[in-house]
Amino acid sequence: MPSLTISYRNLDPSPALETEVRRRFDKLMKLGRERLIACHVVISAPNRRRQQGKLYSVNLRLELPRGSLPVNRNPPLDHAHEDAHVAIHDAFDAALRRLAEFRRRLNGEIKTHAAKRPRLRAARDSHADEGES
């Protein structure tokens, strides 16, 4: 079982937030299908002095056998992250997407685009010259 570390910045540890993180982590383990070594979660609130509009941010770092995968979910402008539970939900959804992309990249399933071909300007120029005659 991978280790889970939860840290709090500018807010007190909360059993409700910890329960939410553990629930989302379990779901990530079931759906991720990627072997995790560790998951570090940092839940932060901006400044304690502000009374309303406090937007939470959640940062995850997934440690995989082939490297580390950071997932940063900073507060959006629509104030949906005034609730820390919503911020946690969004961060773990982003982690699932990043894991899926990481897996596709490792399996070679992501399409690589060919280098841009040079434009055939000579053909266009020759047609323009024909019109001038």
Side-chain angles (χ1 to χ4, degrees), residues 41-91:
V41 179
V42 178
I43 304 170
S44 39
N47 192 343
R48 287 182 181 223
R49 292 183 202 162
R50 193 170 180 179
Q51 294 299 318
Q52 69 184 58
K54 185 190 307 188
L55 301 178
Y56 294 93
S57 66
V58 178
N59 298 321
L60 281 80
R61 192 174 77 236
L62 305 174
E63 300 293 336
L64 304 168
R66 297 180 185 171
S68 178
L69 188 65
V71 179
N72 300 322
R73 294 299 297 167
N74 293 324
L77 298 176
D78 65 357
H79 295 281
H81 287 192
E82 287 182 7
D83 183 6
H85 295 278
V86 173
I88 291 168
H89 177 268
D90 287 349

Side-chain angles (χ1 to χ4, degrees), residues 114-124:
K116 287 187 176 182
R117 297 182 186 111
R119 291 185 178 184
L120 300 175
R121 292 180 188 249
R124 281 192 221 149

Side-chain angles (χ1 to χ4, degrees), residues 1-4 34-39 62-67:
M1 182 75 177
S3 65
L4 174 65
E34 189 67 40
R35 216 174 75 207
L36 287 175
I37 297 171
C39 178
L62 305 174
E63 300 293 336
L64 304 168
R66 297 180 185 171

